[in-house]
Amino acid sequence: MGDSTPSPTPRTPNLRQAKTWDKAKRLSALRDELQARRCTTADLARRFDVGPRSIQRDIDALRRMGHDIVEHAGQAYSIPKHGTLLRPAEALAAYAAIRLAHHHSPALNSHYRHALHSISMALPERIRHTLNASVKDTGATPFAERQMEQVAAAWMDGRVLNFDYRRPNGHLETGNELCVYFIEISRDNLAPYVIGLERRRRGQVRTFKLSRMANLSLHQDTYEPDPDFDPKAFLSDAWGVIGSENPLTVTVRFAPEAAYRILEGGFPNATLIRRDGHVEVEFRAGTDKTGLPRELMPFLLGWGPRAEVLSPPHVREAWLAELRETLARYDTTPARNTA
């Protein structure tokens, strides 16, 4: 006799349950928005891609849940909330730093935005609404945000991270396995980088740019943090995020018109010396395989004629070569006839 056991009937998705879940998530996000800033019905409708009537029903639902909805002129609403562990000056400093990263880095758009909302809760309502109204939607894709979530999960849970990596030359390096040690934001481009022990290929602590990491997943293996890893020491010679076992000192003379900006400070691994209106600075920076401080070079070139690289000779020559090539490529002024 054949098997008379009936085949299992495919489960039909519960659309009502899915809609309930979507609304619950929207109510939570709506509460966060109204705590962070004063919003109109139209603002919220655009933000959540629903109609104004849906927003009004959501606001009524938040009221029934016990939230103190404050109405303002022009169909605007807010939810008062106070108190974090940050003091006002600390909250403002943290807010300004994350706002800078949010507006000038294509990565982590929504994570930065949510962090800004949370930090602003330490500030009075009139300040909080002004600050959060200044945050623009950068239009960044959620690609790097999903990557950061995987990196965070690996680091927090002590799980080895699997990923492929697109090298700067375009080559795809597959099958990397990383024990995450640290996350750093580059001062050069405000992009996030992941630092850790890459155990499969080189067995060394390496630095990876988050946006170049692809196909991330958590390995079944776990790891313990290296007690000898010191991020301050690892990044001590980094101008951005790349340290080096062979750092060098680059001496640069800044013209008087740039001296006041240099004297304001804020440069890592720098020693300043004043000389007759000029300022000479010794920058200690990590080098690449060619012996050049690649992360420092764009900073030096950005000063144009107001900065002169004095030493070492091979760095000065590389700096001059960049300037000469730029001039040759873009200066189309015909040479004067001096005969």
Side-chain angles (χ1 to χ4, degrees), residues 122-199:
L123 301 169
E125 183 178 339
R126 64 181 185 279
I127 296 176
R128 179 168 72 248
H129 291 173
T130 300
L131 285 174
N132 289 325
S134 73
V135 178
K136 300 177 182 178
D137 184 359
T138 62
T141 66
F143 180 62
E145 296 173 6
R146 292 193 296 269
Q147 293 165 308
M148 177 59 85
E149 289 168 4
Q150 289 281 62
V151 170
W155 194 10
M156 300 301 163
D157 297 338
R159 297 275 296 278
V160 175
L161 183 69
N162 294 324
F163 68 99
D164 300 332
Y165 192 67
R166 182 72 63 182
R167 306 295 300 172
N169 61 7
H171 173 70
L172 183 64
E173 186 179 84
T174 60
N176 293 287
E177 297 179 354
L178 189 70
C179 303
V180 179
Y181 285 174
F182 201 69
I183 295 173
E184 177 75 343
I185 302 296
S186 171
R187 62 177 284 127
D188 179 43
N189 56 14
L190 297 182
Y193 288 75
V194 185
I195 300 169
L197 174 66
E198 201 293 298
R199 69 175 193 174

Side-chain angles (χ1 to χ4, degrees), residues 74-141:
Q75 278 194 313
Y77 303 90
S78 67
I79 298 178
K81 181 177 179 180
H82 302 283
T84 71
L85 297 178
L86 295 176
R87 292 178 294 180
E90 296 168 343
L92 285 173
Y95 193 99
I98 297 178
R99 184 179 182 276
L100 174 69
H102 172 74
H103 284 161
H104 295 278
S105 174
L108 311 184
N109 183 43
S110 68
H111 292 320
Y112 284 146
R113 187 183 182 94
H114 293 159
L116 289 171
H117 286 185
S118 298
I119 292 172
S120 70
M121 297 308 166
L123 301 169
E125 183 178 339
R126 64 181 185 279
I127 296 176
R128 179 168 72 248
H129 291 173
T130 300
L131 285 174
N132 289 325
S134 73
V135 178
K136 300 177 182 178
D137 184 359
T138 62
T141 66

Side-chain angles (χ1 to χ4, degrees), residues 14-296:
N14 190 329
L15 298 181
R16 182 175 181 181
Q17 186 179 44
K19 288 182 179 180
T20 301
W21 175 243
D22 288 342
K23 181 169 182 178
K25 290 193 296 183
R26 189 172 75 241
L27 286 175
S28 177
L30 179 62
R31 178 204 60 204
D32 291 344
E33 284 286 331
L34 293 177
Q35 287 176 340
R37 72 184 76 208
R38 183 181 303 178
C39 300
T40 66
T41 301
D43 292 335
L44 295 169
R46 286 191 297 269
R47 168 75 174 83
F48 294 101
D49 195 24
V50 296
R53 291 177 64 87
S54 294
I55 293 298
Q56 288 294 334
R57 287 194 291 268
D58 288 347
I59 290 175
D60 290 339
L62 288 174
R63 282 197 180 100
R64 291 193 298 272
M65 294 166 62
H67 293 288
D68 182 16
I69 306 291
V70 178
E71 295 190 30
H72 306 275
Q75 278 194 313
Y77 303 90
S78 67
I79 298 178
K81 181 177 179 180
H82 302 283
T84 71
L85 297 178
L86 295 176
R87 292 178 294 180
E90 296 168 343
L92 285 173
Y95 193 99
I98 297 178
R99 184 179 182 276
L100 174 69
H102 172 74
H103 284 161
H104 295 278
S105 174
L108 311 184
N109 183 43
S110 68
H111 292 320
Y112 284 146
R113 187 183 182 94
H114 293 159
L116 289 171
H117 286 185
S118 298
I119 292 172
S120 70
M121 297 308 166
L123 301 169
E125 183 178 339
R126 64 181 185 279
I127 296 176
R128 179 168 72 248
H129 291 173
T130 300
L131 285 174
N132 289 325
S134 73
V135 178
K136 300 177 182 178
D137 184 359
T138 62
T141 66
F143 180 62
E145 296 173 6
R146 292 193 296 269
Q147 293 165 308
M148 177 59 85
E149 289 168 4
Q150 289 281 62
V151 170
W155 194 10
M156 300 301 163
D157 297 338
R159 297 275 296 278
V160 175
L161 183 69
N162 294 324
F163 68 99
D164 300 332
Y165 192 67
R166 182 72 63 182
R167 306 295 300 172
N169 61 7
H171 173 70
L172 183 64
E173 186 179 84
T174 60
N176 293 287
E177 297 179 354
L178 189 70
C179 303
V180 179
Y181 285 174
F182 201 69
I183 295 173
E184 177 75 343
I185 302 296
S186 171
R187 62 177 284 127
D188 179 43
N189 56 14
L190 297 182
Y193 288 75
V194 185
I195 300 169
L197 174 66
E198 201 293 298
R199 69 175 193 174
R200 182 170 179 265
R201 293 181 175 274
R202 302 182 190 174
Q204 297 176 341
V205 176
R206 298 176 60 189
T207 302
F208 298 92
K209 189 174 184 179
L210 183 68
S211 61
R212 296 184 186 144
M213 300 170 72
N215 303 321
L216 286 76
S217 63
L218 298 183
H219 197 283
Q220 62 181 357
D221 290 353
T222 61
Y223 70 95
E224 293 295 328
D226 182 357
D228 295 326
F229 176 75
D230 182 354
K232 295 192 298 296
F234 183 82
L235 297 167
S236 62
D237 297 315
W239 182 258
V241 295
I242 307 299
S244 171
E245 295 181 356
N246 301 299
L248 53 73
T249 298
V250 181
T251 305
V252 184
R253 179 189 291 122
F254 291 89
E257 61 267 29
Y260 77 96
R261 293 169 61 188
I262 296 299
L263 292 172
E264 289 176 342
F267 307 105
N269 306 327
T271 303
L272 281 64
I273 306 172
R274 299 192 190 203
R275 297 186 186 277
D276 300 326
H278 294 76
V279 175
E280 289 187 10
V281 184
E282 294 181 348
F283 294 107
R284 185 173 174 84
T287 58
D288 64 6
K289 294 180 180 179
T290 69
L292 288 174
R294 292 293 178 185
E295 290 184 321
L296 179 62

